[in-house]
Amino acid sequence: MATHPAHIHAGGEAQGNWVTNSPAYQTLLVLLLSLNFGIVFFDRQALNALMPFVQPDLQLSQTQIGLLAGGLSFSWAIAAFFVGRLSDSIGKRKILLVIATIAFSLCSFLSGLATSFLFLFAARLLMGAAEGGVMPISHAMVASEVNPERRGLAQGVAQNLGSNLLGSFAAPVVLVAFATAFSWREAFYLAALPGLLSAGLIWLMLREPEPAAEISAQVGTAGDHHSAIGFLEALKVRNMWVSVVVGVLLVAHFVITWAFMPNFLVQTRGMDAFSMSWLVGSLGIAAAIYSFVVAGISDKIGRKPVMVFLPFLSLIGPLGVIYLDPASFTGDGLLGLSGYATVLIPIFFIGWMVNGVFPIFMATIPSESFRPIHHATVLGLAMGSCEVLGGVLGPPLAGLLNDAYGPETFLYVLMVLAVISGFVAMGLKETAPAALRRRGETANPA
């Protein structure tokens, strides 16, 4: 591959390949990565959406539901840690992304074959291991290939647009309808197909990004940049550990919501499966919109304000489920949904704006706080830590509390997690280029 000149700011730091990439290629890159991550989440969310069908068939307890979500998060996190570092080490991002995409697609097929909790648990562990490396590699590609003035928006779209349109919206709506017409097993088989197409598109249409080490060598700083950064060293940087702590709390919030909300609405609130699928699907529409809105706002006003405010706004969702009585809403509303679902949709829509900060704490702030050669490593650290401590521990703990105190207990857990994360985010140092320019400051990546 031809060598591209690196962009260098006043401090002499190599910033990436974006100056040689056309706007059209930058857009294509972001959209394909967004599509691919959307298919990742379509497969990941499939079990949550199908849980009202799977739970009675396999006789799962609330704790087992939590373990299924936590198990996938655990293997996802391990893969995020090590595939990110592998990507930095060998400088091969595209091929690793293609391999991971094919692997997680095959694991969705395995989920449809499950005949017991242990079988399903093993299938989800394998799926998490295949999917975990996708996001850090994707964000590292965006960080080096896209103009940093649009980095927040680009990473927001790459992580949130496809994942929410396909994973959070299409998955419950399409798979619940398919499971109703056929069975939940056939729905898993259907979920396995799109990833194979996505892998082919990435292989044919994207080029391998130039390794950061080559970029550094071009500006005569290879000796300084070549050394790999360790996880403990990265965590000494303030923005890194704040992002990790906020990420742990909000990933737990996200995974707990999806692990328990669909089943709770059907089994406890008495909502029909059709209304449930569209209600939780509204979260996907909301988050897809916020992938543009929140990330774009953070590019203009800064990362910190949105990171602090939006967790508090998310309280509206659990409060709405707790205090609105389904019996008070009779008849059908929009699209033939139950009246209860129709009232909850705008509440969920507003509260789920918090989903727009996920790429900010997982990717944008870490990538703006470290040099390009370390991006996949620190992004893997951010994403892996969030999954290990939030995605792994959160759902089983919420399941245990549900079994002990009632199926609505997870709603109170969601509110506690949101409030703490909002306060912790107050410790962030601003990294958005536009916000720093207004203050007369410059970025100083570690």
Side-chain angles (χ1 to χ4, degrees):
M1 174 169 42
T3 300
H4 301 291
H7 170 67
I8 307 174
H9 68 29
E13 181 189 345
Q15 293 296 294
N17 306 324
W18 63 268
V19 290
T20 61
N21 290 332
S22 68
Y25 180 76
Q26 293 182 34
T27 300
L28 173 67
L29 173 84
V30 172
L31 291 179
L32 277 183
L33 294 178
S34 182
L35 171 66
N36 193 60
F37 196 60
I39 295 168
V40 166
F41 254 73
F42 189 89
D43 287 0
R44 178 171 181 166
Q45 299 289 62
L47 179 59
N48 299 320
L50 295 171
M51 189 56 71
F53 302 90
V54 177
Q55 183 195 26
D57 195 4
L58 300 185
Q59 296 295 300
L60 302 176
S61 68
Q62 292 286 314
T63 302
Q64 288 175 324
I65 293 174
L67 286 171
L68 287 168
L72 185 146
S73 292
F74 175 75
S75 56
W76 174 300
I78 299 302
F81 277 124
F82 294 106
V83 175
R85 295 204 72 179
L86 177 63
S87 172
D88 278 347
S89 298
I90 68 175
K92 299 295 183 183
R93 307 214 194 275
K94 187 177 83 167
I95 184 61
L96 290 175
L97 189 62
V98 169
I99 292 171
T101 301
I102 294 172
F104 75 67
S105 298
L106 297 178
C107 291
S108 183
F109 185 85
L110 283 178
S111 297
L113 297 175
T115 55
S116 67
F117 165 74
L118 288 178
F119 192 133
L120 187 56
F121 186 70
R124 304 309 281 181
L125 283 176
L126 290 173
M127 175 174 282
E131 292 179 342
V134 171
M135 191 157 50
I137 293 174
S138 298
H139 278 312
M141 292 174 72
V142 172
S144 66
E145 303 295 292
V146 175
N147 188 328
E149 292 291 331
R150 296 189 292 273
R151 182 183 290 141
L153 177 60
Q155 290 182 322
V157 171
Q159 180 170 335
N160 271 10
L161 180 62
S163 65
N164 288 294
L165 284 179
L166 295 179
S168 299
F169 172 66
V173 172
V174 172
L175 295 178
V176 166
F178 205 79
T180 301
F182 301 97
S183 78
W184 63 266
R185 298 183 186 280
E186 279 75 11
F188 274 117
Y189 304 152
L190 174 67
L193 299 178
L196 302 178
L197 174 61
S198 180
L201 290 175
I202 291 172
W203 179 256
L204 293 173
M205 302 183 72
L206 297 185
R207 57 177 174 263
E208 185 69 62
E210 182 183 3
E214 292 180 21
I215 297 173
S216 299
Q218 292 169 27
V219 294
T221 56
D224 178 42
H225 286 43
H226 257 47
S227 57
I229 191 170
F231 292 147
L232 292 180
E233 182 182 356
L235 286 172
K236 293 178 182 178
V237 176
R238 179 173 169 180
N239 271 2
M240 191 72 226
W241 69 257
V242 172
S243 294
V244 166
V245 173
V246 172
V248 167
L249 297 168
L250 289 183
V251 167
H253 183 282
F254 177 90
V255 178
I256 289 170
T257 298
W258 275 100
F260 296 100
M261 188 68 78
N263 199 55
F264 176 81
L265 292 171
V266 173
Q267 303 293 350
T268 304
R269 286 292 189 255
M271 187 179 293
D272 62 277
F274 174 77
S275 295
M276 178 277 292
S277 70
W278 279 91
L279 174 57
V280 297
S282 72
L283 300 181
I285 297 295
I289 294 172
Y290 298 141
S291 69
F292 290 97
V293 174
V294 174
I297 290 174
S298 80
D299 280 339
K300 300 298 182 182
I301 70 172
R303 317 301 183 201
K304 184 175 179 178
V306 297
M307 288 286 295
V308 172
F309 174 70
L310 293 183
F312 294 108
L313 182 64
S314 72
L315 295 174
I316 189 175
L319 287 172
V321 177
I322 290 170
Y323 289 108
L324 290 177
D325 182 6
S328 301
F329 303 95
T330 58
D332 292 337
L334 183 68
L335 298 175
L337 306 177
S338 68
Y340 182 54
T342 303
V343 171
L344 282 180
I345 282 176
I347 294 174
F348 277 31
F349 194 90
I350 294 171
W352 208 237
M353 186 180 288
V354 71
N355 194 260
V357 306
F358 276 60
I360 298 176
F361 66 72
M362 283 188 177
T364 307
I365 292 175
S367 64
E368 290 173 339
S369 301
F370 291 87
R371 294 166 176 167
I373 192 174
H374 299 142
H375 280 171
T377 297
V378 297
L379 268 55
L381 172 61
M383 299 167 198
S385 299
C386 296
E387 288 287 350
V388 165
L389 299 176
V392 175
L393 299 180
L397 176 60
L400 287 170
L401 292 173
N402 280 352
D403 282 332
Y405 300 106
E408 74 285 349
T409 309
F410 78 98
L411 297 168
Y412 296 95
V413 174
L414 295 179
M415 291 190 287
V416 170
L417 293 170
V419 169
I420 297 174
S421 65
F423 281 112
V424 173
M426 294 178 184
L428 286 167
K429 291 183 178 180
E430 188 57 66
T431 61
L436 292 176
R437 272 200 310 274
R438 286 196 300 272
R439 301 177 185 178
E441 300 175 7
T442 57
N444 186 28

